[in-house]
Amino acid sequence: MPNPLSEQAQRRVIVALIVALIAFGVYFFVSGFGDDEEGRAAPEGEQGGREGQGTAESPDDFSTVEPSPMPTTGDEDIDVLDWFPFSEDELLAAGATAREFGEAYGTIDYSEGPEDYFAGMEELATDEYAEVLSETTRAGAFWDEGSEAEAVAEGRAEVESVRTYGGDSITFVVEVQSITETADSAFDEELGEFAVTVTSEGQGWQVHDFQPADAGQYGEE
């Protein structure tokens, strides 16, 4: 079929197509570059949108909160008694009761009856402990030993340390002696260390428990 267009016309059509293709390509190139710029700017725009939604706030949106540091005490100003739930006078009174009980335990006169021996300790004990004091193995055994040795001895005691304490009780470690005036040579003057637990009763302190230190109470029980 013969070509209806002349050779010159065909060239014009081809040139026009080429120009159109070039223009089309330039358009897409420029359009794509513009989209990239918008994409890079999008996070800032999105952030602005989130701020509008209240999901991100600037420091100016928060009220200023002043720090309130706790007061501290310098090492040179520390009073360790403040760490106890007792005053110094209470600790001294409680320790005195524990010491007096140890002295009463070590004081013995074989010529008197056992009730006199236990009376000195019962006066310092709680009502509950006083009722069983004469039945406790250690106190009863010491009386039997002293009477058998025909001992007349004076008790001596010294508070060595605080073992533990509770809200209204303190357990002291007390060293006890029984210094004899006359006794069998087998009588042991060194009675050892004892755990003496005292409790606050009214305005004073009373003994709640008395045992050898290696078996005595370790707290409020």
Side-chain angles (χ1 to χ4, degrees):
M1 180 177 179
N3 193 333
L5 297 176
S6 63
E7 183 177 351
Q8 185 177 6
Q10 291 179 12
R11 289 178 180 175
R12 290 176 180 172
V13 171
I14 292 173
V15 170
L17 290 173
I18 292 173
V19 171
L21 289 173
I22 292 174
F24 190 71
V26 171
Y27 170 78
F28 273 101
F29 175 78
V30 174
S31 176
F33 181 78
D35 291 341
D36 290 341
E37 289 295 327
E38 291 178 1
R40 285 193 291 269
E44 183 178 354
E46 290 175 2
Q47 183 176 3
R50 287 195 298 269
E51 289 178 354
Q53 297 173 10
T55 57
E57 298 177 346
S58 65
D60 293 338
D61 294 329
F62 294 96
S63 59
T64 302
V65 178
E66 292 294 332
S68 53
M70 61 183 291
T72 58
T73 305
D75 291 344
E76 67 280 2
D77 298 324
I78 289 177
D79 183 356
V80 295
L81 291 176
D82 292 338
W83 299 345
F84 290 85
F86 312 104
S87 67
E88 181 177 2
D89 289 342
E90 289 173 325
L91 286 170
L92 289 172
T97 299
R99 186 187 67 251
E100 290 173 15
F101 191 91
E103 292 173 349
Y105 172 75
T107 299
I108 190 169
D109 186 347
Y110 78 97
S111 64
E112 298 179 350
E115 62 277 359
D116 295 321
Y117 169 66
F118 291 116
M121 289 178 281
E122 289 171 351
E123 291 176 358
L124 299 167
T126 63
D127 293 341
E128 179 182 4
Y129 189 55
E131 291 178 359
V132 300
L133 183 61
S134 61
E135 301 172 3
T136 59
T137 303
R138 186 59 198 166
F142 184 67
W143 164 256
D144 292 340
E145 179 185 350
S147 61
E148 186 176 322
E150 297 185 351
V152 176
E154 178 185 358
R156 296 178 63 86
E158 183 73 13
V159 173
E160 296 292 318
S161 63
V162 173
R163 169 170 286 180
T164 188
Y165 59 87
D168 59 356
S169 69
I170 310 173
T171 299
F172 295 94
V173 176
V174 180
E175 184 177 0
V176 182
Q177 286 183 323
S178 187
I179 305 301
T180 60
E181 298 176 4
T182 173
D184 187 279
S185 59
F187 187 80
D188 189 3
E189 292 185 345
E190 300 295 333
L191 303 184
E193 293 183 339
F194 294 85
V196 186
T197 299
V198 297
T199 60
S200 177
E201 297 286 341
Q203 299 298 316
W205 294 86
Q206 292 181 308
V207 174
H208 174 70
D209 190 60
F210 176 82
Q211 299 183 43
D214 58 357
Q217 287 191 351
Y218 282 80
E220 187 175 12
E221 299 177 0

